[in-house]
């Protein structure tokens, strides 16, 4: 008897699509049969790249930005001297300039990055110059400068 519609097999599995292998033993069996197809996925860190990135990284290392300059030791010594002349502790001076004692310690030890705002506060309280060429000199009172200008303006010019 011949079957006009073809043979029908019941009980045998047909070939399935790709599946996930859960352990190393199954993976080895599949490799031996030649039924393994692997796609290697590379993360961003493991990507194969050209030499441009290595060259750019080397340039970045060579052109490192220098750290900001620290305050000069002469300024720290002038702050200590001015504070001692006024009879102030670090805590007292820090309160007067509205800063923390740690900031003042950094300025006195020369570890701080100079801030013009903090230096101007220190100059005003200690009445000494902390910026420019003559660090540590006494600041002249504000009234004295105005008096000199008035005297200079009222002096006759002598030419007419």
């Amino acid at each position: 008897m011949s079957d006009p519609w073809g043979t029908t097999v019941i009980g045998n599995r047909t070939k399935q699509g790709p599946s996930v292998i859960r352990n190393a033993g199954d993976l080895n069996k599949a490799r031996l049969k030649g039924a393994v197809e692997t796609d290697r996925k590379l993360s961003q860190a493991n990507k194969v790249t050209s030499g441009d990135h290595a060259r750019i990284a080397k340039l970045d290392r060579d052109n490192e930005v220098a750290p900001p300059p620290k305050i000069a030791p002469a300024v720290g010594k002038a702050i200590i001297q001015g504070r001692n002349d006024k009879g102030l502790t670090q805590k007292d001076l820090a309160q007067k300039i509205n800063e923390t004692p740690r900031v003042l310690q950094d300025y006195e030890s020369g570890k701080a990055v100079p801030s013009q705002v903090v230096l101007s506060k220190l100059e005003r309280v200690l009445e000494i110059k902390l910026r420019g060429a003559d660090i540590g000199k006494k600041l002249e009172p504000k009234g004295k400068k105005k008096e000199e200008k008035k005297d200079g303006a009222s002096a006759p010019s002598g030419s007419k």
Side-chain angles (χ1 to χ4, degrees), residues 86 117 119-128 130 139 142:
K86 294 276 185 178
V117 174
L119 287 173
S120 67
K121 289 178 186 178
L122 286 168
E123 284 179 338
R124 190 170 39 242
V125 171
L126 297 175
E127 297 175 351
I128 57 172
L130 297 174
L139 286 177
K142 289 183 180 179

Side-chain angles (χ1 to χ4, degrees), residues 30-47:
R31 282 186 182 151
L32 289 173
K33 290 181 183 178
V36 174
E37 288 183 29
T38 57
D39 291 331
R40 186 171 184 167
K41 294 183 180 180
L42 297 175
S43 67
Q44 189 70 12
N46 296 332
K47 275 191 177 176

